[in-house]
Amino acid sequence: MFYDRDAASQILAMTRVTTLARLHAATTYLIQMHGFRFYYFSLRGQHALTGRDPVTLHNLPVNGRRPEMDREPDQDPLVHYAATRTLPMDWKQIMALPGYQHRGYLRVMAARAQHGLLSGCTVPLSQANGVLARLDLICDHDDEEADLCIRRYLPYASLLGQVLLDKTRGLTRKEDDDLMEPDGGTPLTQRERECLLWASEGKTNAEIGALLGISERTVVYHVHHACEKLHARNRQHAVTKAILSRKLFGPTSDSSRLVGNMV
């Protein structure tokens, strides 16, 4: 997909993706190719169109508890900036703005740093008709290299955000009827959720088995039964259906790194 050397052409190539799972995979590959480690996209205020609010795409760290990224504007400097401004901006510049140095905002950013979200930029995307969307591009280090990465990509960040906004709106509406089951269906077991979660990370059956301490054959067994429960054609289809029907979530499941995570 990303054969073009021009950054804008690379972003526009993403308009050809046909599922949320592929949109997530393409975004992860693209931002890491340009020096970022993580991304977080949030679309709020879409309930009338999708039945779910907010809708998020991200590849945040899988280890430990996922950092909170969508508080209310008066509790979170990035959400507040996205709700009141229009230009993409480096986090350091945001935190230097008047009114952004109060203790609550500083605590929020310090908590993110503890999860490895050390520097980045925020791209406000939409404020019309109650819809609030933003994209965060994030580095796991805070040094001159990270600053250069952000400065170089900032001119393209708005275009990437707009593509994510348009594609997420369209694909969420398109997949809702196909993937959401009105009767709720059969719930996944904890082990089935774990296998699908790691499958969403691109792990092979052998790698998933090593991570969970079970055999590769057992992983195949759990993925097969998850596909049957979700009426999925393959494991990628099962991952997407499990996320969009909220079946990947459970009282003990780790939902910190998801494709199209609905919270």
Side-chain angles (χ1 to χ4, degrees), residues 12-232:
L12 291 174
M14 293 174 58
T15 60
R16 298 195 296 266
V17 301
T18 56
T19 67
L20 286 172
R22 290 174 182 172
L23 182 64
H24 163 75
T27 304
T28 299
Y29 181 83
L30 180 63
I31 62 107
Q32 292 181 353
M33 184 169 66
H34 286 278
F36 296 98
R37 178 65 182 88
F38 306 114
Y39 83 95
Y40 184 85
F41 170 81
S42 173
L43 173 58
R44 306 171 70 179
Q46 284 290 98
H47 188 274
L49 292 176
T50 67
R52 288 166 284 142
D53 189 40
V55 177
T56 65
L57 296 172
H58 65 81
N59 69 332
L60 294 179
V62 70
N63 294 325
R65 182 171 173 268
R66 178 171 69 84
E68 177 60 54
M69 296 295 287
D70 262 317
R71 297 177 175 88
E72 293 303 312
D74 62 347
Q75 301 172 339
D76 191 317
L78 304 186
V79 177
H80 185 275
Y81 181 82
T84 58
R85 309 295 178 99
T86 58
L87 294 177
M89 188 172 287
D90 187 311
W91 286 358
K92 291 177 182 177
Q93 293 176 298
I94 292 175
M95 296 308 294
L97 292 172
Y100 281 76
Q101 293 82 38
H102 67 73
R103 188 174 302 175
Y105 279 1
L106 294 175
R107 278 200 301 264
V108 168
M109 297 306 290
R112 287 177 178 148
Q114 291 177 352
H115 286 85
L117 314 185
L118 293 174
S119 60
C121 60
T122 291
V123 184
L125 293 172
S126 180
Q127 300 170 22
N129 301 320
V131 175
L132 175 61
R134 86 174 196 275
L135 169 66
D136 295 313
L137 300 176
I138 307 165
C139 295
D140 58 358
H141 51 103
D142 184 10
D143 51 24
E144 291 184 5
E145 182 183 354
D147 291 341
L148 180 60
C149 167
I150 294 167
R151 286 198 303 271
R152 282 178 173 173
Y153 205 70
L154 208 55
Y156 304 101
S158 290
L159 178 59
L160 176 58
Q162 288 297 329
V163 169
L164 284 173
L165 179 60
D166 290 345
K167 293 299 295 184
T168 301
R169 279 173 163 167
L171 292 174
T172 301
R173 288 194 297 265
K174 177 178 179 292
E175 294 185 355
D176 258 4
D177 292 340
D178 179 40
L179 301 180
M180 295 291 285
E181 297 180 8
D183 62 357
T186 305
L188 299 176
T189 66
Q190 178 182 343
R191 189 61 86 190
E192 288 165 352
R193 290 194 302 269
E194 291 170 343
C195 289
L196 290 183
L197 178 61
W198 284 113
S200 76
E201 291 293 300
K203 302 295 184 184
T204 65
N205 291 332
E207 290 171 333
I208 295 171
L211 288 164
L212 299 179
I214 58 179
S215 70
E216 183 177 355
R217 183 184 294 272
T218 303
V219 173
V220 172
Y221 171 85
H222 287 305
V223 172
H224 172 72
H225 279 272
C227 287
E228 286 189 337
K229 290 180 179 179
L230 294 165
H231 307 292

Side-chain angles (χ1 to χ4, degrees), residues 47 50-55 176 179-181 184 186-188 193 196 230 238-251 253 255 258-263:
H47 188 274
T50 67
R52 288 166 284 142
D53 189 40
V55 177
D176 258 4
L179 301 180
M180 295 291 285
E181 297 180 8
T186 305
L188 299 176
R193 290 194 302 269
L196 290 183
L230 294 165
V239 167
T240 307
K241 294 193 76 169
I243 292 168
L244 293 180
S245 61
R246 303 187 184 185
K247 290 182 180 179
L248 200 57
F249 301 95
S253 65
S255 59
L258 298 175
V259 184
N261 173 31
M262 314 315 174
V263 292

